[in-house]
Amino acid sequence: MKKKTVLILMLFVLIGTPLSLFAETEAAVDQLQANLDTVWVLLAAFLVFFMQAGFAMVEAGFTRAKNASNIIMKNMMDFAIGTIAFFAVGFGIMFGQDMHGLIGTSGFLNPNNLDLGLNIPMEVFIIFQTVFAATAATIVSGAMAERTRFAAYIAYSAVISLIIYPVVGHWVWGGGWLAQLGFVDFAGSTVVHSVGGWAALIGAYMLGPRIGKYEKDGKVNVIPGHNIVLGALGVFILWFGWFGFNPGSLLAAEGALGRIAMTTNLAAAAGACAVMMITWVRNGKPDVSLTLNGALGGLVAVTAGCAAVSMWGAIAIGIIAGFVIVFGIEFIDRKLKIDDPVGAIGVHGLCGATGTLLVGIFAVEGGLLYGGGINLLWAQLIGVWAVALWTIAATIVLFSIVQAVIGLRVDNEDEELGLDHGEHATQAYADFVMKVQDVRH
């Protein structure tokens, strides 16, 4: 903005225009920039909101048809309930007046009263942050799919948007202790995705596996999703929405948007290519569902450093994320025996943590490979562990309370019939089922 001001002043002097008009022109330029920033951040918020559809399609496609209505209901209601919870309480915890670097203490019920010194209207900032909070909450849905009570899901999803996510957000984006330490998470590899991933890890562990997933002798059974095309559509929607997620976090319509969009895209492409090649070499054929998750893993991993790394750094992060996807999901499924139907723990938890750490290595300013020493890497390590410990501890308490009060899991009959029937008394594909029955008879 200073360069613009100097140029305008020089122009006025050269053409002999009265300098009294200079202030008016500068104010007009500032207002134009504010308007552009407002429009861009709103557009980015709308793109991130559309990611809810992507999450719903991925989860529905990667699971069985008998649970599709339940999955759609969860992905809609976690946003609806989370919106109100975050507006009333969560936003104040995240961006309110700082208390000892741990939590915000103002802005409750009416966050418009907060003065954050932004170049965009407060309402625009609130909706942008709301869609981020919804993303953290909805990640948990996939890992706990096909056997969770709907009432239990609503309860713990609300608490994630109300307290668990906003506390982490304050530490990093609200001027909290991690921000003061120099921790870098530009758009939320840890703040958003790892929070959702660690919560998913605890939820899936406490919930237990789906019926038939693991045999008594340790054999792992694959339970295929009912529509890989629907899952792929979800991945494409998420990839598209990430162009709002990462560039939108700049909160301004500036030239850096292009570079952030490029690093975002390159990491996703590298993640997909890496997983395709790894599974091709290991299994003799490229794995479709893992490759789709590879793209998501690359996106999650680069989110922390999308504004800090080079193009080739983004490619390296995407490739590393690809290895994390393949071997991380395999470790969770086959060694830990934690049943995660969509791979949410690997994609969001492991890749989110890995990508955040890699900022300390690949950041052009301060990164280990660029002569910055270990200070940034150390700050990243502290941040990743602190967020993991907080989220894991908080969700253990949360899920324990939900289990005691509501119950986390449906009974065996409802699980086998499908949650569409047991939880909602409906069918996602009623006409299709009828036609199949007609053919059989």
Side-chain angles (χ1 to χ4, degrees):
M1 187 58 69
K2 290 182 178 179
K3 291 181 179 179
K4 292 180 182 178
T5 302
V6 172
L7 289 173
I8 293 172
L9 179 59
M10 291 176 62
L11 179 63
F12 270 68
V13 171
L14 288 173
I15 65 177
T17 304
L19 292 180
S20 60
L21 296 178
F22 172 73
E24 296 180 12
T25 304
E26 184 181 18
V29 171
D30 290 344
Q31 185 59 54
L32 176 61
Q33 182 64 53
N35 291 342
L36 290 172
D37 293 346
T38 297
V39 171
W40 163 242
V41 176
L42 272 177
L43 177 61
F46 302 155
L47 288 172
V48 178
F49 169 71
F50 191 47
M51 290 172 71
Q52 286 290 122
F55 282 115
M57 295 302 99
V58 168
E59 186 180 346
F62 283 12
T63 54
R64 290 168 289 186
K66 63 184 180 181
N67 300 301
S69 294
N70 172 258
I71 286 165
I72 296 301
M73 190 70 168
K74 289 191 300 179
N75 280 271
M76 182 176 75
M77 293 314 300
D78 64 25
F79 182 82
I81 295 172
T83 291
I84 298 171
F86 186 73
F87 171 78
V89 177
F91 189 88
I93 292 175
M94 194 162 172
F95 294 104
Q97 184 176 354
D98 178 62
M99 185 178 72
H100 307 303
L102 298 175
I103 194 171
T105 58
S106 61
F108 301 118
L109 301 181
N110 188 13
N112 283 334
N113 291 334
L114 293 175
D115 182 9
L116 302 180
L118 301 169
N119 198 41
I120 56 176
M122 180 59 75
E123 295 86 352
V124 175
F125 187 63
I126 293 171
I127 187 61
F128 186 74
Q129 294 300 329
T130 297
V131 294
F132 272 58
T135 298
T138 203
I139 288 167
V140 186
S141 175
M144 299 175 68
E146 300 201 296
R147 71 262 200 216
T148 304
R149 289 181 183 273
F150 181 69
Y153 178 79
I154 293 300
Y156 69 70
S157 178
V159 174
I160 290 172
S161 297
L162 193 76
I163 300 173
I164 296 175
Y165 165 76
V167 168
V168 176
H170 183 79
W171 292 355
V172 181
W173 295 336
W177 70 277
L178 282 178
Q180 297 166 24
L181 186 67
F183 178 77
V184 175
D185 187 359
F186 182 76
S189 288
T190 285
V191 175
V192 178
H193 295 281
S194 282
V195 167
W198 300 136
L201 173 67
I202 299 304
Y205 172 75
M206 294 182 66
L207 189 62
R210 291 168 290 175
I211 295 172
K213 175 64 179 178
Y214 301 112
E215 303 286 354
K216 292 181 180 180
D217 61 2
K219 179 184 177 183
V220 180
N221 295 318
V222 176
I223 303 177
H226 82 283
N227 194 332
I228 196 68
V229 175
L230 198 63
L233 175 61
V235 170
F236 281 117
I237 291 173
L238 289 170
W239 195 331
F240 176 66
W242 237 284
F243 293 122
F245 204 98
N246 287 0
S249 294
L250 191 62
L251 300 178
E254 296 179 356
L257 291 174
R259 182 165 66 90
I260 296 171
M262 276 298 300
T263 54
T264 299
N265 191 59
L266 286 169
C273 290
V275 173
M276 180 190 71
M277 294 305 300
I278 294 168
T279 57
W280 207 335
V281 170
R282 294 185 79 208
N283 306 329
K285 296 185 183 296
D287 187 285
V288 179
S289 62
L290 275 177
T291 301
L292 292 170
N293 269 338
L296 296 181
L299 288 163
V300 169
V302 82
T303 294
C306 57
V309 303
S310 68
M311 306 296 180
W312 283 106
I315 292 173
I317 289 172
I319 292 172
I320 294 169
F323 280 88
V324 172
I325 286 293
V326 174
F327 296 102
I329 289 178
E330 183 177 295
F331 178 75
I332 291 165
D333 186 36
R334 298 184 179 277
K335 300 298 182 182
L336 298 182
K337 296 292 192 295
I338 295 176
D339 184 13
D340 178 1
V342 304
I345 301 167
V347 170
H348 300 280
L350 299 184
C351 286
T354 300
T356 305
L357 291 174
L358 291 175
V359 175
I361 297 174
F362 290 107
V364 175
E365 296 182 8
L368 188 63
L369 292 182
Y370 291 84
I374 65 169
N375 289 340
L376 179 56
L377 181 59
W378 179 245
Q380 299 300 100
L381 181 63
I382 292 173
V384 166
W385 276 107
V387 171
L389 289 173
W390 156 253
T391 307
I392 289 170
T395 49
I396 288 174
V397 173
L398 171 60
F399 287 125
S400 296
I401 293 173
V402 172
Q403 172 64 24
V405 176
I406 301 174
L408 280 173
R409 187 168 185 141
V410 299
D411 59 37
N412 289 351
E413 181 181 359
D414 282 346
E415 182 177 347
E416 291 178 340
L417 287 173
L419 302 191
D420 287 4
H421 170 80
E423 293 288 287
H424 308 285
T426 188
Q427 289 178 320
Y429 303 103
D431 290 342
F432 175 78
V433 172
M434 267 310 241
K435 290 179 181 177
V436 172
Q437 288 174 345
D438 291 343
V439 170
R440 286 176 178 175
H441 291 290

